[in-house]
Amino acid sequence: WQGCLIHTISFTEFQIFNNGLLIVDASGVITELRELESSDQMEELKRQYSLQEDQVNRLTETQFLIPGFIDGHTHAPQYPNLGIGLDLPLMDWLEKYTFPTESKMKDTNVATQTYTRFVDSLIKNGTTTACYFATMHLEATKVLAEIVSSRGQRAWIGKVNMDCNSPDFLRETLEESLESTIAFIDFMKQERFTEAGLIEPAITPRFVPTCSERLLKGLGEIASKHKLPIQSHLCENRQEIAFVKELFPNADNYTGVYQQSGLLSRRTIMAHCVYLTPDEIQKMAASGAAVAHCASSNFNLSSGVLDIKPLINSGIRVCLGTDVSGGTSPSMLHAIRSALIAAQTTQINANADVCNLDIMGAFFLATLGGAQAMALDDKIGNFAPKKHFDALVVDATEHADLLDLTAKDATKVDSALALLKKFLMTGDDRNIVNVFVKGRKIR
Ligand code: GUN
Ligand code: FE
């Protein structure tokens, strides 16, 4: 690849290669990343690697390459509800809209239709990796895995566990829940999944209210035995937190319930975490669990406004989640913008001079931050050599006027950065030309 490449290397640092060179080997692994001094160098390299012209991807003036987006939390079966039924707070919203919609996935035909549309929509919007919740239904969860695998996207996929405090039509017994979890893990051991190495099953207790103590403990044991990632919801809404206190009066707190069940690890992502107490922040940090910040959903369900700064300062890894359909968009661009609005809301409420999150910080959270939260930052998140090539070609042609708008003495770096920011703040899927996962073009 030759052209403008932009990626982050930490929450506060990013790099721009204006006339960048990025070499990807046949297995989709990045072998080289640097700035080219001149275009003649490209000709030398072509000779050195005996490359044909069609093996060189030259980005145009208005294009740039960024790492693929990582959605740290989303619900595939809730896609039909996108944008509707947001008039109620969390617990009532689940009862009235979400549980009935999820129950339809019992029919694998409905699941196939819903999941095909959802996965394609995520890919179109530049999500190269997603942490999916399916439903409690084993067969439909397999359908989701098949679709994600057929599209070549990278993912965690969770068969949801729920054995209490939900309606009859969406509840399993303890035994069913554990058995179908094992069955899904076994299903994912098939060669066609393991060979590609892109999808992992994730242990997915829905949240404490819908899981018995025995179920939580059983899932903790399965996760540790099979060394699997874990995903769930935590401290999203005040009513939910009060309910957990009633259900587990002897636990330290909500986070303590997960901790005592062995569900907090270096490979755990807890969504929301709006109302963590200092003790809970300490528990999350000590266990190495990560947080998926789902700002769009937190606004839509009036759950609350999360300030991620104290979490980051405590060493907790933070990523962004679309949380469809609490969130109203499958696009990580929307998650980025919602996270910025949440940070600005925090700033306004605190009457503070500075905002805790800037756009490049949000770009980090949507890429490398996601990789870190999933403990996959040795593989994805930016273009560091040895990582897999998960990337988006972005064309900002629609916004090219910006090139002229920048000051006369603006450097090429300024222009590139302006185009990236313009894309992040005002762009959409139409600006995403191609999507790559592990070197393979998936769109
Ligand atoms: N808590 C438990 N289940 C859900 C869900 O489906 N969406 C959200 N936003 N929160 C939850
Ligand atoms: Fe969620």
Side-chain angles (χ1 to χ4, degrees), residues 1-144:
W1 288 88
Q2 184 196 353
C4 180
L5 323 168
I6 311 175
H7 71 176
T8 62
I9 49 178
S10 75
F11 185 50
T12 52
E13 298 161 286
F14 58 87
Q15 289 181 318
I16 299 182
F17 300 85
N18 240 305
N19 188 19
L21 169 77
L22 187 147
I23 301 179
V24 182
D25 73 14
S27 63
V29 174
I30 297 167
T31 58
E32 203 168 332
L33 170 70
R34 64 185 163 89
E35 191 81 59
L36 277 173
E37 271 115 56
S38 73
S39 295
D40 301 342
Q41 262 192 319
M42 197 64 221
E43 295 311 311
E44 265 170 54
L45 283 162
K46 273 174 72 182
R47 276 193 296 278
Q48 186 188 332
Y49 288 92
S50 8
L51 290 175
Q52 305 299 314
E53 181 55 30
D54 66 0
Q55 289 174 285
V56 183
N57 295 293
R58 293 177 206 269
L59 298 167
T60 68
E61 276 282 300
T62 54
Q63 289 178 340
F64 52 88
L65 203 64
I66 57 172
F69 291 133
I70 299 174
D71 186 343
H73 181 87
T74 199
H75 299 259
Q78 297 176 20
Y79 195 36
N81 278 358
L82 195 74
I84 56 171
L86 293 167
D87 53 326
L88 296 170
L90 176 67
M91 302 304 267
D92 304 313
W93 171 82
L94 287 170
E95 259 332 286
K96 183 166 175 192
Y97 302 108
T98 310
F99 290 157
T101 304
E102 288 197 11
S103 74
K104 293 183 187 148
M105 303 303 140
K106 185 170 194 267
D107 178 344
T108 52
N109 291 322
V110 177
T112 302
Q113 245 182 37
T114 307
Y115 295 165
T116 299
R117 287 182 46 204
F118 189 59
V119 173
D120 285 344
S121 167
L122 257 61
I123 293 172
K124 184 176 82 164
N125 282 291
T127 299
T128 49
T129 301
C131 300
Y132 288 105
F133 279 53
T135 58
M136 64 170 215
H137 310 98
L138 173 62
E139 292 311 314
T141 307
K142 291 180 187 172
V143 165
L144 179 58

Side-chain angles (χ1 to χ4, degrees), residues 214-227:
R214 285 167 67 197
L215 177 56
L216 291 169
K217 289 231 156 74
L219 293 172
E221 281 162 20
I222 295 171
S224 100
K225 180 175 166 207
H226 297 267
K227 297 193 174 55

Side-chain angles (χ1 to χ4, degrees), residues 205-403:
R206 175 167 215 117
F207 65 159
V208 166
T210 59
C211 298
S212 64
E213 190 163 7
R214 285 167 67 197
L215 177 56
L216 291 169
K217 289 231 156 74
L219 293 172
E221 281 162 20
I222 295 171
S224 100
K225 180 175 166 207
H226 297 267
K227 297 193 174 55
L228 292 177
I230 298 160
Q231 54 180 355
S232 191
H233 298 91
L234 171 63
C235 291
E236 176 175 3
N237 156 300
R238 291 195 178 92
Q239 194 191 352
E240 169 211 17
I241 295 167
F243 189 33
V244 170
K245 206 176 168 103
E246 256 176 59
L247 293 168
F248 290 85
N250 298 323
D252 288 349
N253 42 43
Y254 196 160
T255 306
V257 179
Y258 287 125
Q259 189 183 41
Q260 74 192 31
S261 311
L263 290 164
L264 295 186
S265 79
R266 287 282 307 163
R267 303 214 65 208
T268 296
I269 297 183
M270 286 292 165
H272 304 286
C273 298
V274 180
Y275 298 104
L276 294 182
T277 62
D279 177 68
E280 290 180 288
I281 291 179
Q282 201 275 326
K283 281 181 162 64
M284 290 287 284
S287 62
V291 169
H293 179 31
C294 304
S296 173
S297 172
N298 292 343
F299 282 121
N300 289 328
L301 298 175
S302 298
S303 299
V305 182
L306 171 65
D307 182 6
I308 58 170
K309 200 58 187 270
L311 304 182
I312 290 176
N313 287 347
S314 306
I316 295 171
R317 292 159 299 143
V318 177
C319 62
L320 302 183
T322 57
D323 195 27
V324 166
S325 64
T328 37
S329 169
S331 170
M332 285 299 289
L333 293 169
H334 188 84
I336 286 171
R337 294 164 201 164
S338 302
L340 288 167
I341 293 174
Q344 285 149 348
T345 306
T346 302
Q347 180 194 357
I348 292 165
N349 287 342
N351 199 11
D353 293 331
V354 288
C355 187
N356 279 340
L357 183 65
D358 66 9
I359 182 144
M360 294 309 279
F363 178 51
F364 160 83
L365 295 176
T367 54
L368 185 56
Q372 290 177 352
M374 296 176 79
L376 285 180
D377 47 317
D378 57 331
K379 280 207 186 106
I380 53 172
N382 64 15
F383 298 136
K386 296 201 178 71
K387 290 200 190 189
H388 296 182
F389 183 68
D390 285 18
L392 313 180
V393 176
V394 178
D395 191 325
T397 302
E398 278 189 46
H399 313 304
D401 55 331
L402 228 141
L403 289 168

